[in-house]
Structures are given as C-alpha cells and as structure tokens.
Amino acid sequence: MRAARLIKMVLLLQSRPTMTAAELARELEVSERTVTRDAQALSEAGVPVYAERGRAGGYRLIGGYRTRLTGLARGEAEALFLSGVPGALREMGLEDAASAARLKVSAALLPSLRDASRTAAQRFHLDAPNWFREPRTPELLPAVADAVWDDRRIAARYRRGQDEVVRELEPYGLVLKAGVWYLCARVAGLTGAARAARAERSERSERSADEGPGGAESGTGSGSGSGSGSGESSYRVYRIDRFTAVEAGEERFARDEGFDLPAFWAERAEQFARSLLRAEVVVRLSERGVRALPHSVDGPAAREALEVAAPDADGWVRVTLPVESEEVAHAQLRGLGPEVEVLAPGTLRERFARDARRLAGLYGTP
C-alpha cells in the first residue's frame, strides 16, 4: 500500500512543477504529516525530492528527474480508454485504475501538455442517466465487470417475474443505456443449435415480462435472446439490477472474436423496440401533427409510416401507425391535441371523443 502511494507521489511531482503538502495530502488521501514522512523516505531512496518552506513553498523534483515507472499495467490501459465516462468507471470499480493510468500518461507528457486532462474535463462531460430519474448503481455490477474483463464464467441468479432462475453465463460485454446497466452474455455449456433453441424458447416465455434494451418500464423480467452478428441466436441481454447473486469461477471461456458488441446491441435494441409494437391505429394528421408525430411515438416507426402517406384534399395525412397498445397510443397521441384525428380502432376514437367532451366542459365553447 505504501509503495503504491510513494510511486503515485513521484508521478504527481513529475507532472507538476510544485505541489504543497496540502495538495499532495488531498491527492494521496493521507495527512500532511504522512506526506512529510513519504517525502523523507523518497529522499533516502535516492529520489531528489526538494522541500521549499514558506507561503509559496512546497515539494518538487530537482535536476530534471524523470521516473521510469510510467509503464501502464493492462488494467490501467483498459480503464484509460473508458476515462471519458467517469461515472461508469466508478460504478464498475475501475476508478482507481483509471486515475493511475491518467497520472502515468500525464507524467509522460511534455510539460506544455500536462494540463490536457484538466482542459478536456472542463470542456466535455457525459451525463448518461435520463432526466428525472435518480441513477442507482447495481450492487453486483463490479463483480460482473470483473468477470467480463477476465472472460470468466459466472453462476448467476436473477429475477424473472416472480421467480428466480439460475444460469451459468459467459459474460461478453456491458452496456450502459439511459442510466441502466445491461449484460450481454451466452448461456454456458450450450453450443450451436442447442443454444439457439434454448434462447428461442426463453424469448417466447419471457417476452411479456422483458425489460430489455431501451429501458422499458413495463414488466419485471431480466433477459431475452437475440441473434448475434454470426447469425446464431445465442447471445442474450440481462439487466444487471435483476441479478440477486453472482459468483465468478476460475474457468475462463473462449471468447468468440467475431462478436461485435456495438453491432449486437444496436440490432437487439431495434428488435426490442419493434417487439413492443403489437397493435395498429389509423390517424389523420395536420401538417403540424406530421412534424410532431416522430417525437410523440416511436420515432423510426412513425417515420416509416409517414414515408408511404400522402396528404388528402384538406392537406391532412392518413397514417397507419404501429403502437404498443391502445392505452399507450392514447397517452402518446393525446399530446398532439387538435393536430391528430383518430380514425380506428373505434374504441380509441371514442376515448378521444370523451376527452374532447371533457375539455369542452372545462373550457366551454366559443
């Protein structure tokens, strides 16, 4: 522990001209007295640490001293590539590795470039969670992240509806979507057609309760299958916050190098969004309604429906629109107000007629 702290102190002093005892104590998370002892220990070990007293004083390295301890460990190098998402690093338990990596890179840079990390952080910031939702870090996320890094199989227990299911999984990758963490994995011990058949059966049984990519709020399930880039429906998606227990074994699995996590996720997210659209409604839209429709309902589905629509004699457009359900369509289309007329189904049209009568009762007729 102390050796790592001494190395970090040298790197800090190498990356900055001078640092006060208070600054070093804050960076190293120790007392100023400990900083004084550590500086003495470095001097005795041959590291030229010079202490300047007085109000403008502090610690610095003299004689152009450069340490050779800037080589990145594998974990630090991996964490460095994620350093643009500090919140995600912290939740996965990689904050210390990323901090060490950034410090080593800073120490290796020319003096004129050592403020690069500070200036970049002042100009760019990623805030992943949705508005009006308090982000929560799944308790088991660090354990799952460790297994993903090391290609180690995990024995996992997760909630599916009212039940708990146990699976042995090969964890391929993690995805952070709108503040929600997902695991992309394969069920261990199955290959080829057997894995695809099992995924298909589980897909059918869980679809009604799935909380898949995109953060759907309905249901309580935690996983659903999807095809990978190889054409084999063997990879599945699990919400990390649905895991109740995770235990990583010593056995490592052979990773399929053809697996493309971003491509798989994009395909899976599109499939999930489309799987929710199980009903259809027919509406007429004004010009303003046409512009607003993609922002009120599923965007891709709305744009596809509008591509084949043409305005009538009044300038309104008739559209057949896929929706999740009549209840959801009522909530979504209601925001368009007088810019939409529901034609079918009749039950949905009657809902809007009741809404109109209630509004007329509230505001009266001109």
Side-chain angles (χ1 to χ4, degrees):
M1 183 69 176
R2 190 189 185 198
R5 189 175 71 241
L6 292 174
I7 292 173
K8 185 174 182 179
M9 184 173 179
V10 173
L11 292 172
L12 285 168
L13 293 174
Q14 184 172 310
S15 63
R16 307 179 194 179
T18 303
M19 294 188 69
T20 66
E23 290 172 335
L24 284 168
R26 184 168 57 252
E27 291 282 352
L28 299 173
E29 299 180 348
V30 295
S31 66
E32 294 186 28
R33 181 173 295 181
T34 299
V35 168
T36 301
R37 289 197 296 264
D38 286 351
Q40 180 65 32
L42 288 172
S43 295
E44 293 174 357
V47 178
V49 178
Y50 178 71
E52 292 181 308
R53 300 186 181 278
R55 179 174 299 180
Y59 293 91
R60 63 184 177 88
L61 296 175
I62 60 176
Y65 180 83
R66 304 284 296 177
T67 177
R68 297 181 181 272
L69 297 174
T70 53
L72 294 178
R74 179 177 180 82
E76 295 168 346
E78 291 170 335
L80 184 63
F81 284 102
L82 293 171
S83 59
V85 283
L89 284 168
R90 182 172 56 254
E91 292 177 5
M92 288 190 292
L94 297 174
E95 187 174 29
D96 289 344
S99 176
R102 288 192 296 268
L103 185 57
K104 290 181 179 181
V105 170
S106 178
L109 292 174
L110 294 173
S112 60
L113 300 176
R114 286 178 187 162
D115 66 342
S117 61
R118 180 180 59 83
T119 56
Q122 289 175 341
R123 288 163 174 79
F124 301 98
H125 176 67
L126 174 66
D127 186 7
N130 277 338
W131 286 102
F132 314 116
R133 177 181 297 177
E134 187 70 23
R136 291 180 296 178
T137 303
E139 182 180 350
L140 297 174
L141 177 61
V144 176
D146 286 344
V148 169
W149 283 119
D150 294 339
D151 292 337
R152 283 184 292 140
R153 290 181 174 179
I154 60 174
R157 181 184 296 273
Y158 69 95
R159 295 191 303 275
R160 190 174 65 188
Q162 300 300 318
D163 303 321
E164 284 195 352
V165 180
V166 177
R167 291 284 186 270
E168 185 177 356
L169 302 174
E170 297 174 353
Y172 266 70
L174 291 169
V175 175
L176 177 60
K177 171 72 171 182
V180 179
W181 284 95
Y182 296 91
L183 171 68
C184 301
R186 289 201 300 189
V187 178
L190 298 177
T191 58
R195 182 184 282 123
R198 182 171 188 173
E200 183 178 355
R201 290 195 303 271
S202 186
E203 170 81 5
R204 290 196 301 267
S205 66
E206 295 174 16
R207 183 177 294 276
S208 62
D210 186 28
E211 275 193 67
E217 295 299 326
S218 61
T220 56
S222 57
S224 62
S226 172
S228 70
S230 63
E232 183 179 304
S233 297
S234 56
Y235 297 94
R236 299 176 56 73
V237 177
Y238 301 87
R239 275 189 64 147
I240 301 294
D241 58 8
R242 299 303 180 193
F243 284 108
T244 59
V246 171
E247 182 177 352
E250 297 299 324
E251 182 181 2
R252 285 177 165 80
F253 62 91
R255 176 177 285 268
D256 178 5
E257 297 302 328
F259 177 73
D260 185 333
L261 180 60
F264 164 74
W265 180 259
E267 178 186 357
R268 180 67 188 97
E270 182 180 359
Q271 289 176 354
F272 174 76
R274 291 185 177 275
S275 73
L276 297 177
L277 307 179
R278 305 187 185 100
E280 283 187 347
V281 299
V282 182
V283 299
R284 288 179 72 237
L285 298 158
S286 69
E287 184 178 346
R288 291 181 61 183
V290 167
R291 292 196 301 267
L293 184 66
H295 305 289
S296 300
V297 299
D298 180 76
R303 284 187 284 270
E304 286 185 13
L306 290 169
E307 284 178 0
V308 298
D312 58 20
D314 298 326
W316 285 53
V317 174
R318 181 186 176 110
V319 173
T320 299
L321 186 68
V323 295
E324 184 173 344
S325 66
E326 183 175 317
E327 289 76 13
V328 172
H330 180 240
Q332 293 174 333
L333 295 174
R334 192 166 49 188
L336 297 179
E339 310 305 327
V340 61
E341 177 190 1
V342 175
L343 302 178
T347 51
L348 181 59
R349 181 178 176 87
E350 177 56 31
R351 286 191 183 205
F352 276 85
R354 288 197 301 267
D355 289 346
R357 289 192 293 269
R358 292 182 60 195
L359 287 171
L362 288 174
Y363 295 101
T365 55

